[in-house]
Each structure stands twice: as C-alpha cells, then as structure tokens.
Amino acid sequence: MPRPRRSAQPAAKPAGNRFGLPNLGIGVGLRTVHYAHVLEHQPDVDWFEIISENYMQTAGRPLHILDQIAERYPIVMHGVALSIGTTDPLDLDYLRDLKRLRDRVRAPWLSDHLCWTGVAGRNSHDLLPMPYTDEALRHVASRVRQVQEFIGAPLFLENPSTYVGFAASTMTEWEFLSALCSETGCGLMIDVNNIYVSSRNHGFDPADYLAGIPWDRVVQFHVAGHDDNGSHCVDTHIGPVTDPVWRLLGDAWQRAGGAAVLLEWDAQIPAFDVLHREALRAGTFIADAAPRPRPRRRPAAVGGAR
Amino acid sequence: MSTRPRPGEALVGGLADAFATERASASPAPRRPARRRRITAPAPALVTAAPLSASLADLQRFFAGIVMHPDSVNAGTAAARCGAVRGFAEAARLERVLTSGPQQDALERIGVYHYAYHARLVECLADDFPTVRHALGETVFSRLARAFIAAHPSRSANLNSYGGGLVTYCRAPRRSIPRRAFVADLATLEWAMVEVLHAAAAPTLSTDALRTLSPERWARLRFRPSATVRLLRFDHPVNAYLQAFREERAPRIPRPGWSATAVYRQGFTIWRMDLSPPMAEVLAALFAGKTLGDALAALQRRHADAEALVPMIMRCFREWTEGGLFAALEE
C-alpha cells in the first residue's frame, strides 16, 4: 500500500471531479535520471506520473524499478501513443499492454492526448493536431467509447499544445473537448502550459479557453516550461514554469475545485530536489485559490467512477 | 592501470547507466530558435482562402506526408500536393488546408512539426547508439539516422524497439556509411545492450547445481542460455572501443580484428564480457544446444593446445553461471 504523503497544497473539498477520483496533491514526472535518487532517498513527493510507453514492450529493468517506486508512491499513467484521433484502426495490442500496466502499478487513472500520432501505419511519435470538425468529433467520440469499454474506466484526455490549425475547423479546441466529454463521459487532464503555448501560437485569449472547460471532468493539471521563440512558443518541457502559466494554474485549479497538479520536465532535467522545489511552487499559486462552487451539470451519459 | 578489457573480464553497468531514456513526451527544442519578433496584439488565426473540403483521413495523410518528408518542409508540401491524396492538388495555397497564425504563415507552422518529427527520432537513435554517434561524428550520424528514418519510418506505438532496424540497415552492403563494417559491429553491440536491458528476468542456473554434479555427468549436459544474454562475434574489437569511449579516452577507430563479447544482465546491471576464441567457441556450441562433451570435443579438434584449454574453460563455467548466462541444465 502506498504510504500517506504530506501534501504541500491546501485541501480541496469536496472532491473536485464527478469521477470521485482523489486529489493526489503535487507530483512530478518520473524520469530515468532520478531513479537512483528516488529509490535511495524516497523523497517526500505526493505522487509520480509515468510516461506509459516507457514501461511497455519491456520486461526488464524499467519495470523492475517502477515496481519498487509503485510500492511507495501513487503512480498515474500518462500516454503519448494512444493516437485517439487517427483514422487508422485502434491498436488493441497497445490497449492490452496499457491495461496490464495500469493494473500492475494500480494507477488511479490513465490519460493521453487529444491528438493523432500517425496514419497509414506510420507513426510520427508526435502529438499531431486535430481539425475541430463535426466529422472529427464523431470519429474521436466513437474511439473514446471503444477505449473506455476496453479499459473499463473513463479515459482522460489532455489538451495538446498545437502549432498550426486546420482551415476546416468549425469549433474551438475547448468547444471540441467539451462536446467530447458530453458525448462520451470521458474526463480531462488540463495542461495549462499547453493552453498558454497554444494561445500564443493561435492568438486566442486563455481566459476564453478556461471559461469553456467542463471543470467537473478535470482530474489533473500539467504545468511545464516552454520555449518562447518570439514568433511562436514550443512546449519543450524544459526549464521552470513561467509566471503566466502559474497564474493560469491558479485560476484553473480554483475553477476545478482543486485537482492533482504535476510538473513535467523532460530535457535538461535538473537534480531531483530542484525539480521538486519547482513543482512545489504550485502551492503558492493555488494557496489563495479556494475552491468555488461550480454550476451543476447533467450526469455523464457514459462512464463514471471506477 | 590498464583499462583495456581482458578476456573474461566483466565491464560496467549499474543504475546510473540509464541509456534507455524517455522516448516521447515534449517537442524537441529547436536547435536554432527562430528570430524573435515583437508581438503586438494577438490576431485570430488567418484563413485567407476557402477551406479545402477533405475527409479527416485525407487531411491526416496530407499532414503526415509533409511532416514525415525526409527533405525540407517545402519539399514535403510540394510532394503532398502532388501525392496520392485526392483533391490536394487543388491546394495551390497551403492556407486552404492549414491556418496561418499571428506571427507565422502556415508553412512555418507545419515546419515546427517537420523539425520535431526528425529531431525526436534522431534523438531516439542517438540514445540507443551513443558510441556509433561518437565514432561517426554528429553530422554523419545525423545523416545516417535521417536516411534510416526515411527508409524505415516507425510503425510501432513504442520506440523501445525502433533502433533495432538500424543494425540491419548498417549491415546492408553498398550502404554509403564511412567504415560501414566497423559501424555495423558497433551498432550490433550497442543494440544488444538495449535488448538485454528490456529482456524479461527469469530464473538462472545456480552454482550449487554445478557443485553437486558427478564428473561423469558433465559431458552429457546441455546449458540452456538465459533470455538476458547475447553472444556476439565481431570483425572489429568494438567492445574495447566502446569501453574507451565510456571512459572518455577519445578512442580511434580500430583496425579490423576478431573479437567476441557476451552481453548479459545480472540482476538489473548490464555487463559486457570479452571472450577469447576458445571461450566463444564453447559458449556458441552450448547456446546452439550441443552437449558440453560435444563442445569440448570440437574445441580439441580445432586447437592443438586444447588439453590446456579445457581446465580454463571449466573455470569459466563458474563465472558464466554466476553471471546468469545459463537459464537451466538439461541432460
């Protein structure tokens, strides 16, 4: 059993999501460079998030280490290869592996991205943008339902950072996500850094995005650093989180009535203590953001708490 | 102190040897960030021409055709327009498919994905083959990786096995790779380490099992190899080169020369053991399913000093067994 861990954030009650899933506190992404530190020092971290695929198609050392860490900490799974939006068939072998890993580490939920990663059998291993059209909505909704049925639990989708849009789009990303939640009962993992990056790349107001999210579907937040190239921003997950992104987190966290927060840092990764200290800065930005009542929503048509 | 590995010497490993790093998470940072431009008021996404009517599948094939094109994003766009995707020949203006942004046109914007696609896969190969990259240098390695990516795009949801194809690619004759035979040997060694890292742990033969055997039973024994061992024979001393690279001794590419290495995992530490020719012969025979008696008989036929070699081989059994090279004994 994971031992209880001290949270650096104020308690948010009642549970901020309709799935009844817990607010795990402030976590960090588990990365190989920190394996030794985590195993040896058992740092006081609320929870870890793993990139699911790093522990799939392997039966060796990565899984062995993950097993040890999962003994002590809650582990949430975050995937990058579900490719929920592709027009290729769903990869059932992948889903089988994903489900097996979830059961192994007892992950309370698993998430992936609103995106596609390849087509015609070729995988880009990137999170490619969707056109936000009625056809795409019907297509993604159908696949989300299939995935949820397969895994026997709600799927949580993250808003991607995008660098280009489709001329054919007839709705905004937040309208698409909201409609997807209504049609499938799926949940959301909101990456506030992605909202910021996309707002800069597409010229929308992040406040409009936040206003359009069905907050009772949100179980988790991501924060991360990005590269600001002037002409556009890139979601690199390098470096500390910028203040505008922290402020977005404060606003979003309040709207959600509190939810788990996770820092992603994927390149030029600093020492664990530096990383964790940066993650705990979230506490500053959500400390004054007392949960506020949300408007009531109709129950989900499909899905629910596991 | 000599750092050159001797036959039978186990080398390096450990938790810090974390060469299997994260595969896909964020977009790689641009190597040369675009020139900073002052942003004034953000503008809405620009659509300056009527959107092209296309199905989701066609849009994705068009998009992927550009992003995965081996040359520039311009070449990818031209090829995608002329490609098999119905209707896109009409997309004389990319803006009929993709929107411009406040500070970038559609071509620059999809260029972010084109760059990230190639950078991510090159980085993945560099993670798996750091010594090959060192041997070839950054530019040549990058060219090799991009040629491989173009010829063999990933078809799996997982990148853990993607690098395996590079070994076969390097071994193909007439491939334009400097010092191709050496590079192929080195890539084989590095990929074996990745395979062993990801192989499932399984029970291994204990030294106790050997201790209780009567001498007359030894000749009839077959030693089944563990799933976490690879026995490799090379035309170049690549393990010595790899070791020198890891010790930051700036090794020079060696002349051809026979070598053999066992790569294996003990617990969760990866080890490399150089093997002398007799050791490699015996291990290869055992791994091929021959009895120990047959393996030693073959050794005696090939080596004039075989009588002296047999005791050495028998001593090696303890080290091989302790290293977990064998899964089980069979009679």
Side-chain angles (χ1 to χ4, degrees):
Chain A
M1 286 287 291
R3 63 189 166 95
R5 309 199 63 81
R6 181 178 57 77
S7 174
Q9 67 175 93
K13 293 177 181 176
N17 60 78
R18 70 167 55 191
F19 305 99
L21 290 166
N23 176 352
L24 295 177
I26 298 173
V28 297
L30 181 64
R31 302 296 180 255
T32 53
V33 293
H34 294 142
Y35 282 169
H37 180 91
V38 173
L39 290 176
E40 188 179 343
H41 300 286
Q42 299 177 22
D44 194 14
V45 178
D46 290 342
W47 60 287
F48 284 105
E49 182 187 78
I50 59 168
I51 296 174
S52 310
E53 290 78 7
N54 285 341
Y55 305 90
M56 296 162 68
Q57 288 190 14
T58 179
R61 193 170 67 183
L63 265 184
H64 171 74
I65 291 167
L66 180 61
D67 284 342
Q68 293 178 64
I69 294 172
E71 284 293 313
R72 298 186 174 279
Y73 300 92
I75 301 285
V76 166
M77 287 166 55
H78 181 53
V80 293
L82 174 60
S83 197
I84 197 72
T86 183
T87 46
D88 281 357
L90 269 174
D91 185 342
L92 297 182
D93 288 339
Y94 170 86
L95 283 176
R96 218 167 276 123
D97 286 351
L98 193 70
K99 193 175 172 184
R100 196 177 300 129
L101 182 63
R102 179 198 65 186
D103 295 344
R104 183 179 182 130
V105 301
R106 302 177 299 279
W109 64 84
L110 51 86
S111 64
D112 205 292
H113 301 80
L114 174 63
C115 72
W116 57 290
T117 62
V119 71
R122 296 166 57 171
N123 202 318
S124 75
H125 299 281
D126 201 352
L127 311 173
L128 305 176
M130 293 294 298
Y132 298 127
T133 62
D134 289 336
E135 181 202 4
L137 180 60
R138 284 194 304 274
H139 176 74
V140 175
S142 162
R143 288 164 65 92
V144 167
R145 286 189 206 99
Q146 290 176 64
V147 170
Q148 292 185 146
E149 190 173 331
F150 193 97
I151 64 174
L155 175 66
F156 293 87
L157 287 175
E158 175 184 344
N159 56 302
S161 56
T162 56
Y163 309 98
V164 69
F166 285 87
S169 289
T170 55
M171 60 186 103
T172 62
E173 186 172 288
W174 55 92
E175 288 167 342
F176 190 96
L177 283 169
S178 184
L180 191 61
C181 287
S182 296
E183 292 203 11
T184 68
C186 74
L188 296 175
M189 192 261 268
I190 293 296
D191 187 320
V192 286
N193 183 56
N194 287 350
I195 292 178
Y196 179 82
V197 165
S198 292
S199 76
R200 289 281 304 275
N201 293 340
H202 301 292
F204 63 76
D205 185 342
D208 291 339
Y209 201 116
L210 296 189
I213 291 297
W215 290 102
D216 59 340
R217 306 284 182 154
V218 176
V219 294
Q220 186 190 329
F221 292 107
H222 268 173
V223 289
H226 60 260
D227 271 16
D228 185 344
N229 298 315
S231 62
H232 65 292
C233 292
V234 180
D235 175 37
T236 53
H237 297 181
I238 298 174
V241 180
T242 63
D243 279 353
V245 173
W246 282 128
R247 284 194 292 272
L248 272 180
L249 174 70
D251 190 350
W253 195 89
Q254 183 185 40
R255 289 169 186 262
V261 178
L262 182 118
L263 172 68
E264 295 179 294
W265 196 321
D266 285 329
Q268 300 166 32
I269 302 173
F272 188 86
D273 290 341
V274 176
L275 176 81
H276 192 207
R277 211 162 34 242
E278 178 66 11
L280 292 178
R281 287 185 67 204
T284 308
F285 290 87
I286 61 181
D288 299 325
R292 66 185 183 191
R294 291 185 311 273
R296 293 173 67 87
R297 287 180 176 274
R298 275 194 309 122
V302 180
R306 289 169 56 201
Chain B
M1 185 183 75
S2 168
T3 50
R4 185 174 177 77
R6 301 186 307 274
E9 186 176 12
L11 299 166
V12 305
L15 199 59
D17 185 19
F19 48 81
T21 54
E22 281 68 37
R23 292 307 196 197
S25 47
S27 297
R31 206 169 297 146
R32 285 190 298 274
R35 186 170 57 86
R36 279 179 175 271
R37 279 188 272 179
R38 182 177 172 77
I39 294 181
T40 51
L46 302 173
V47 179
T48 54
L52 191 75
S53 176
S55 69
L56 178 61
D58 281 349
L59 283 174
Q60 290 185 341
R61 280 194 286 270
F62 178 77
F63 196 98
I66 298 173
V67 168
M68 298 187 196
H69 195 278
D71 300 327
S72 66
V73 68
N74 283 300
T77 306
R81 276 190 192 127
C82 304
V85 180
R86 287 187 307 278
F88 283 90
E90 302 164 26
R93 297 181 61 186
L94 191 60
E95 281 76 6
R96 292 195 63 200
V97 183
L98 301 172
T99 58
S100 296
Q103 301 284 329
Q104 289 185 301
D105 63 26
L107 191 68
E108 290 173 312
R109 301 179 92 195
I110 195 170
V112 176
Y113 291 96
H114 181 271
Y115 168 81
Y117 168 70
H118 293 93
R120 176 176 288 106
L121 292 182
V122 170
E123 186 180 285
C124 165
L125 295 171
D127 282 346
D128 285 339
F129 300 100
T131 321
V132 171
R133 181 173 64 165
H134 169 80
L136 290 176
E138 190 68 42
T139 304
V140 178
F141 178 81
S142 182
R143 198 182 309 139
L144 166 67
R146 288 185 71 121
F148 170 70
I149 293 162
H152 301 279
S154 171
R155 294 188 177 276
S156 168
N158 195 303
L159 279 170
N160 280 346
S161 58
Y162 184 58
L166 187 66
V167 177
T168 315
Y169 185 82
C170 290
R171 288 225 173 270
R174 295 188 297 280
R175 194 80 71 197
S176 174
I177 303 168
R179 301 296 304 272
R180 186 186 59 79
F182 168 76
V183 168
D185 275 357
L186 190 55
T188 302
L189 176 61
E190 293 205 291
W191 186 249
M193 294 163 67
V194 176
E195 282 188 331
V196 166
L197 176 95
H198 289 296
T204 55
L205 181 66
S206 76
T207 50
D208 290 345
L210 296 181
R211 213 172 283 129
T212 57
L213 288 170
S214 59
E216 61 272 16
R217 289 175 64 194
W218 275 84
R220 299 196 302 269
L221 295 176
R222 295 176 202 276
F223 291 77
R224 191 148 49 81
S226 161
T228 55
V229 63
R230 299 290 183 276
L231 176 61
L232 308 163
R233 282 180 281 193
F234 301 114
D235 295 325
H236 300 80
V238 283
N239 189 36
Y241 182 89
L242 187 146
Q243 185 64 18
F245 165 67
R246 289 197 161 198
E247 292 170 1
E248 299 180 348
R249 287 188 277 124
R252 300 171 74 88
I253 292 180
R255 293 176 185 282
W258 185 94
S259 73
T261 304
V263 177
Y264 61 99
R265 201 176 79 205
Q266 194 173 22
F268 286 92
T269 301
I270 312 295
W271 299 88
R272 288 169 282 120
M273 179 193 290
D274 274 345
L275 301 169
S276 64
M279 292 161 71
E281 281 179 40
V282 171
L283 265 184
L286 293 176
F287 284 8
K290 293 195 174 359
T291 64
L292 180 59
D294 288 344
L296 292 178
L299 188 72
Q300 286 171 327
R301 283 196 295 275
R302 276 193 295 275
H303 295 271
D305 59 343
E307 289 301 322
L309 289 174
V310 171
M312 183 274 289
I313 294 291
M314 297 310 286
R315 278 197 304 277
C316 287
F317 265 91
R318 169 171 290 277
E319 189 179 347
W320 294 343
T321 306
E322 284 174 348
L325 269 63
F326 304 119
L329 278 180
E330 291 165 0
E331 276 191 83

